[in-house]
Amino acid sequence: MARMVGITTHVLDTSEGRPAPGVAVSLEIMDGEGWRAVGRGVTDADGRVSDLLADRGAEAGTYRIVFDSGAYFASRGTQGFYPRVTVEFRIEEPGEHHHVPLLLSPFGYSTYRGS
């Protein structure tokens, strides 16, 4: 059995220069030809979701995190270009921690593997 490990995220609103609270986030794993939901959350006041797997262990495979950026910007009275941001990544070593930050603005985004 794989050691318990978290998949976390941190969303920063670069247009405001601060964390992005209230962003709905879902985590899915590739299952055959489709995707299967394995976790969800909403960013806290610091823009973080501390564990998208809700204390379940990760398994090797291809995952994606879907950020509801459209609803986030709409709640702030801003029209964003991207209704959703989808980040796909591969877990090769399930025993490692995986952190997927998102730098977000109404007209662009960036991501990387964090620590």
Side-chain angles (χ1 to χ4, degrees):
M1 183 171 155
R3 190 173 89 204
M4 298 301 265
V5 63
I7 296 176
T8 60
T9 189
H10 187 198
V11 183
L12 298 171
D13 182 339
T14 59
S15 67
E16 296 285 330
R18 61 186 58 180
V23 178
V25 178
S26 62
L27 177 68
E28 301 170 334
I29 187 169
M30 185 173 279
D31 188 7
E33 296 297 316
W35 295 94
R36 175 173 45 93
V38 293
R40 64 180 50 250
V42 176
T43 57
D44 63 16
D46 193 37
R48 298 179 184 274
V49 178
S50 62
D51 191 355
L52 284 165
L53 285 173
D55 298 323
R56 292 184 303 248
E59 57 188 83
T62 301
Y63 290 78
R64 71 179 179 187
I65 299 178
V66 181
F67 300 87
D68 191 350
S69 52
Y72 167 75
F73 284 115
S75 73
R76 282 157 173 64
T78 301
Q79 178 68 40
F81 184 69
Y82 301 100
R84 279 174 300 286
V85 173
T86 302
V87 178
E88 291 186 26
F89 59 99
R90 178 133 184 93
I91 292 182
E92 300 285 342
E93 297 292 333
E96 295 180 0
H97 176 77
H98 295 83
H99 184 62
V100 183
L102 180 69
L103 305 177
L104 182 63
S105 75
F107 300 99
Y109 62 90
S110 177
T111 186
Y112 56 95
R113 180 171 181 183
S115 58

